[in-house]
Amino acid sequence: MNSNDSLGSLNIGNRIYRTRISNKFAGRKPYKPVDPLVVVSFIPGTVDDILIKEGQRVKKGDILMIIDAMKMKNMLKSKIDGKVKSVSVNKGDRVSKGTVLLLLE
């Protein structure tokens, strides 16, 4: 442990523990639940096909677009019923992991 580490509290299983907190742990990005209205790329690849348009209604399980990664076609499906608010990419675009592909409402 570094001499810069300080004491802090951790809540694990509804129990509070006093322990040393490293600078790396203290500076970590807090957990943020996934927003079902924002569709992001879960893998780097190329947008092979976009199967929806802005303003189109989609149902849970509908295929929204296909990402080609390492010669595999990955189908991105809607997690909710909704309406396509905007599409942020075009067919043929290369995307990295975590890129916002489209927004639902």
Side-chain angles (χ1 to χ4, degrees), residues 1-97:
M1 294 203 184
N2 295 336
S3 59
N4 295 336
D5 295 345
S6 59
L7 285 178
S9 299
L10 290 178
N11 183 346
I12 302 173
N14 294 325
R15 295 191 68 184
I16 304 296
Y17 296 91
R18 293 281 296 155
T19 186
R20 292 190 190 276
I21 305 293
S22 69
N23 291 332
K24 181 178 178 182
F25 182 83
R28 78 193 184 289
K29 199 160 95 173
Y31 171 75
K32 182 178 168 189
V34 175
D35 184 353
L37 298 175
V38 179
V39 178
V40 298
S41 175
F42 64 93
I43 190 169
T46 303
V47 178
D48 192 52
D49 203 1
I50 300 173
L51 306 171
I52 44 82
K53 295 183 174 142
E54 290 183 16
Q56 180 178 337
R57 291 216 160 271
V58 295
K59 293 187 178 184
K60 182 177 180 178
D62 285 353
I63 300 171
L64 305 172
M65 64 178 58
I66 299 172
I67 303 286
D68 184 2
M70 298 183 348
K71 299 183 183 179
M72 292 182 65
K73 308 288 184 187
N74 298 281
M75 292 180 262
L76 299 175
K77 297 181 180 181
S78 178
K79 295 182 181 182
I80 60 168
D81 294 346
K83 182 176 163 185
V84 179
K85 183 176 181 180
S86 66
V87 179
S88 306
V89 293
N90 296 306
K91 188 174 178 177
D93 286 357
R94 294 202 36 84
V95 295
S96 59
K97 181 179 178 180

